[in-house]
Amino acid sequence: MRSRLFPITDDHIHFDPNNGRGVEAAKDFLHAGGTHIFLVSKPSWSLGVEPGTGIDYAGVFDETLRIAGLIRETGLVVFPILGIHPAEISRLSERMSLADAVGVMKGGLDCAAGYVREGKAVALKSGRPHYEVSPEVMAASNEVLSYALSLSAGYRCALQVHAESGPCADIVDMAQAAGMPVGRVVKHYGSPETPLHPSLVARHEAVPVLARERRPFTMESDFMDENSRPGAVTGPKSVPRITKKLLESGAITEEDCWRIHGETVEKVYGVRIVL
């Protein structure tokens, strides 16, 4: 029999001591019962960085790692995920050509991959706009996403994808063309119908359903930690609170908790979840 203790992992969360509550918000997650987090780098503009080349994103990544160090002091296990938010293409193309914007974003992904190579990050992030853009911008974004898939395949790490709502089934073909295992392509803010790995926002009604079906998925808060948007998307306590509530109601079991927050996380990201 397993111990009654089990991990609780937030698959996509941000902490920002400059624009939000930072470590204090991380403590909320910890005190609610959280144990592990995947700390995802924020967009460049959130940290006051205006990239002109790919290497300029190092400032964003170094700040993410600095924050990770502060959070580890609370006792939480932190796995950094670094990459380029897909909305960067809209901002970059306001001051340079679309082709140059693609080059900067690819360079930023190369920069992020260097941190993965050095063991400072566990995965990359990329994607495409979840809002309406021109066909040219969407094609350029898919080019960047394909490049991220190839990098992830080469470095044998997972890739978190920011994209439109829905299955995003075409990304399966893109992953296969890049030699990237589809089970390691994580659809951030995912839905049950995606053929990618779904990371479901904690309050998603399908969580107990997928748990009963023993389908692989993870849970996230997508907490932004911005004082201008308090509690967006959901609060830092949401993953542990909802997990415990579902357990207490009988909607999920302890075995489900281990599978969702431990075993599945290990398979997707290649990390060890230890209490």
Side-chain angles (χ1 to χ4, degrees):
M1 292 292 292
R2 294 188 188 273
S3 164
R4 286 189 60 82
L5 294 175
F6 48 83
I8 295 182
T9 304
D10 192 321
D11 194 17
H12 187 107
I13 194 168
H14 308 275
F15 292 114
D16 187 344
N18 299 311
N19 301 298
R21 296 177 57 230
V23 173
E24 292 306 308
K27 289 179 180 177
D28 285 349
F29 174 78
L30 175 68
H31 296 153
T35 59
H36 299 71
I37 67 168
F38 285 85
L39 181 70
V40 183
S41 58
K42 298 186 77 171
S44 61
W45 61 85
S46 295
L47 302 178
V49 174
E50 189 171 290
T53 66
I55 197 63
D56 292 339
Y57 285 99
V60 177
F61 304 151
D62 288 339
E63 175 65 6
T64 304
L65 296 182
R66 185 188 75 85
I67 295 169
L70 295 175
I71 295 170
R72 288 189 181 107
E73 294 178 3
T74 70
L76 289 171
V77 178
V78 183
F79 301 114
I81 295 179
L82 306 178
I84 310 301
H85 194 286
E88 298 272 355
I89 199 165
S90 297
R91 290 182 174 250
L92 289 170
S93 59
E94 289 177 352
R95 52 189 176 85
M96 63 181 72
S97 71
L98 186 58
D100 286 343
V102 168
V104 170
M105 293 175 75
K106 287 182 177 179
L109 286 165
D110 287 332
C111 181
Y115 289 81
V116 173
R117 183 181 63 248
E118 295 170 4
K120 296 178 180 178
V122 301
L124 297 176
K125 80 164 185 176
S126 184
R128 59 195 183 197
H130 61 277
Y131 48 89
E132 186 174 352
V133 295
S134 70
E136 293 78 14
V137 170
M138 184 57 72
S141 297
N142 278 326
E143 180 182 342
V144 174
L145 175 54
S146 292
Y147 188 74
L149 287 162
S150 295
L151 279 178
S152 299
Y155 285 95
R156 297 184 178 182
C157 69
L159 176 70
Q160 277 203 7
V161 173
H162 300 239
E164 71 277 8
S165 299
C168 298
D170 64 304
I171 297 177
V172 171
D173 291 338
M174 296 167 67
Q176 291 173 341
M180 178 68 180
V182 175
R184 303 196 74 190
V185 181
V186 179
K187 178 56 173 69
H188 155 58
Y189 212 91
S191 56
E193 66 270 20
T194 183
L196 309 174
H197 172 83
S199 178
L200 301 180
V201 70
R203 62 180 179 232
H204 200 294
E205 61 185 10
V207 167
V209 177
L210 268 60
R212 287 195 299 272
E213 295 174 352
R214 301 181 66 84
R215 285 180 54 189
F217 69 95
T218 42
M219 295 173 65
E220 64 174 70
S221 64
D222 194 19
F223 175 60
M224 298 298 296
D225 199 16
E226 294 180 358
N227 290 330
S228 61
R229 299 173 62 197
V233 169
T234 59
K237 301 177 184 178
S238 60
V239 172
R241 277 188 170 178
I242 291 174
T243 296
K244 290 183 175 182
K245 182 179 179 180
L246 291 172
L247 180 63
E248 291 167 0
S249 70
I252 63 175
T253 67
E254 286 188 16
E255 288 297 319
D256 293 330
C257 293
W258 272 101
R259 187 172 61 257
I260 296 164
H261 295 289
E263 294 164 8
T264 299
V265 172
E266 291 181 336
K267 290 177 181 177
V268 171
Y269 290 101
V271 300
R272 291 191 64 209
I273 301 295
V274 179
L275 288 176

